[in-house]
């Protein structure tokens, strides 16, 4: 194994995700030296040529040059880890284990496994694996697949912090004058509220209708968070949630969604 310091590059067009991965790597691999962070594929290639890092963490979807195209350029000169929010692009292509991948939001245990795998390759002085066939396969998947339609996370203000909230952690969204208030689960506070400036109507168009339903002109609810629905007057109803005491109104226009309940 080389005695030189091990260096890495992170490329992602979302700065919060770059910073989050850097913080996770600082825990999972403290001796790793992250020498550069790139905002897009073109910048990733330029910084790769400048720093020649041992490991590159590349977001699959980046504007302009994708992570896959950047990987083609880097060839076998680095150990490559793709980072993607859409595992359908990655799981099959990397089933053979020739390349590694992480699915956003990155789980600590999955990152630990990736770090262990890369360390083993470095320890054994194994060359980086970049089969052209696998990269072509992934590139074809990216080119032929429609852009993902639904949000996977929302960037929101929580107190003095900006947080990335996975949409599956959201109980409901409610319009609040100039903001949309998001009621979500998370650590360390079991239940907390976050604010975004995006109008509820705009968010409604970006959420998976299989998970979220608009039940009032000012409310969208995560159907998985619903405990039960009680009937009200004038063909209205109230939604009760599993893990919080909040009661959400269902207006007449949306009462049909719960007609069978």
């Amino acid at each position: 194994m080389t005695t030189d310091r091990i260096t890495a590059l992170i490329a992602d067009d979302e700065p919060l995700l770059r910073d989050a991965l850097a913080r996770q790597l600082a825990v999972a691999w403290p001796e790793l030296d992250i020498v550069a962070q790139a905002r897009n594929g073109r910048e990733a290639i330029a910084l790769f040529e400048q720093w020649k890092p041992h490991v590159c963490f590349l977001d699959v979807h980046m504007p302009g040059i994708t992570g896959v195209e950047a990987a083609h350029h880097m060839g076998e000169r680095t150990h490559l880890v793709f980072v993607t929010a859409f595992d359908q692009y990655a799981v099959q292509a990397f089933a053979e284990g020739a390349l590694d991948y992480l699915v956003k939001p990155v789980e600590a245990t999955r990152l630990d496994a990736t770090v262990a795998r890369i360390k083993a390759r470095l320890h054994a002085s194994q060359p980086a694996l970049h089969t052209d066939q696998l990269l072509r396969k992934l590139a074809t998947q990216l080119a032929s697949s429609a852009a993902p339609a639904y949000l996977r996370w929302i960037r929101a203000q929580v107190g003095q912090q900006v947080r990335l909230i996975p949409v599956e952690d959201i109980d409901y969204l409610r319009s609040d004058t100039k903001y949309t208030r998001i009621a979500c689960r998370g650590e360390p506070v079991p239940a907390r509220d976050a604010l975004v400036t995006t109008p509820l109507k705009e968010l409604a168009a970006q959420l998976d209708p299989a998970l979220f339903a608009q039940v009032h002109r000012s409310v969208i609810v995560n159907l998985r968070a619903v405990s039960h629905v009680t009937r009200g007057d004038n063909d209205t109803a109230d939604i009760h949630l599993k893990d919080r005491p909040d009661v959400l109104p269902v207006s007449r226009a949306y009462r049909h969604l719960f007609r069978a309940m």
Side-chain angles (χ1 to χ4, degrees), residues 2-254:
T2 176
T3 58
D4 296 335
R5 64 188 182 121
I6 304 302
T7 57
L9 176 150
I10 297 174
D12 196 311
D13 60 322
E14 174 52 66
L16 285 176
L17 294 180
R18 291 199 307 269
D19 293 342
L21 181 56
R23 289 195 299 272
Q24 288 181 284
L25 283 168
V27 175
W29 197 349
E31 64 272 25
L32 181 67
D33 186 1
I34 300 173
V35 293
Q37 294 190 23
R39 298 168 296 182
N40 51 59
R42 192 176 303 280
E43 193 169 276
I45 292 172
L47 289 171
F48 172 79
E49 294 298 341
Q50 177 182 349
W51 291 98
K52 301 293 192 299
H54 298 86
V55 188
C56 287
F57 295 87
L58 298 178
D59 181 23
V60 171
H61 291 272
M62 289 189 286
I65 297 176
T66 69
V68 178
E69 291 169 322
H72 270 299
H73 177 90
M74 296 167 185
E76 299 179 1
R77 294 179 290 166
T78 184
H79 293 273
L80 181 66
V81 179
F82 282 130
V83 186
T84 175
F86 311 103
D87 56 1
Q88 69 269 32
Y89 297 130
V91 174
Q92 182 178 357
F94 303 122
E96 299 174 36
L99 301 172
D100 208 347
Y101 71 96
L102 296 167
V103 177
K104 302 176 188 177
V106 177
E107 296 180 354
T109 53
R110 182 66 180 84
L111 181 60
D112 289 342
T114 294
V115 168
R117 192 173 297 117
I118 296 172
K119 284 182 174 180
R121 291 177 187 164
L122 292 168
H123 182 76
S125 298
Q126 293 177 334
L129 297 174
H130 293 263
T131 67
D132 287 341
Q133 183 178 0
L134 280 175
L135 288 175
R136 281 197 299 272
K137 182 176 182 179
L138 183 55
T140 301
Q141 286 181 312
L142 289 170
S144 61
S145 300
Y150 305 120
L151 288 175
R152 297 290 298 273
W153 56 77
I154 292 177
R155 183 167 50 186
Q157 186 80 28
V158 181
Q160 298 301 312
Q161 298 179 335
V162 176
R163 305 289 292 272
L164 285 172
I165 300 172
V167 294
E168 61 264 27
D169 288 349
I170 296 173
D171 283 339
Y172 67 88
L173 306 93
R174 192 166 197 164
S175 61
D176 183 9
T177 316
K178 295 185 295 184
Y179 305 99
T180 296
R181 185 174 296 277
I182 299 175
C184 55
R185 288 151 280 157
E187 298 295 337
V189 181
R192 63 170 183 261
D193 286 352
L195 297 175
V196 296
T197 56
T198 307
L200 187 72
K201 182 178 180 181
E202 187 174 329
L203 288 170
Q206 301 177 65
L207 293 169
D208 185 350
L211 298 178
F212 291 89
Q214 185 152 12
V215 295
H216 189 276
R217 61 181 173 81
S218 63
V219 178
I220 294 173
V221 67
N222 184 338
L223 296 172
R224 291 175 176 170
V226 174
S227 169
H228 62 280
V229 178
T230 56
R231 296 177 180 174
D233 297 331
N234 299 320
D235 206 25
T236 60
D238 289 326
I239 289 177
H240 301 261
L241 303 174
K242 295 176 182 174
D243 299 319
R244 60 171 68 220
D246 310 39
V247 177
L248 307 176
V250 180
S251 63
R252 295 179 62 183
Y254 301 98

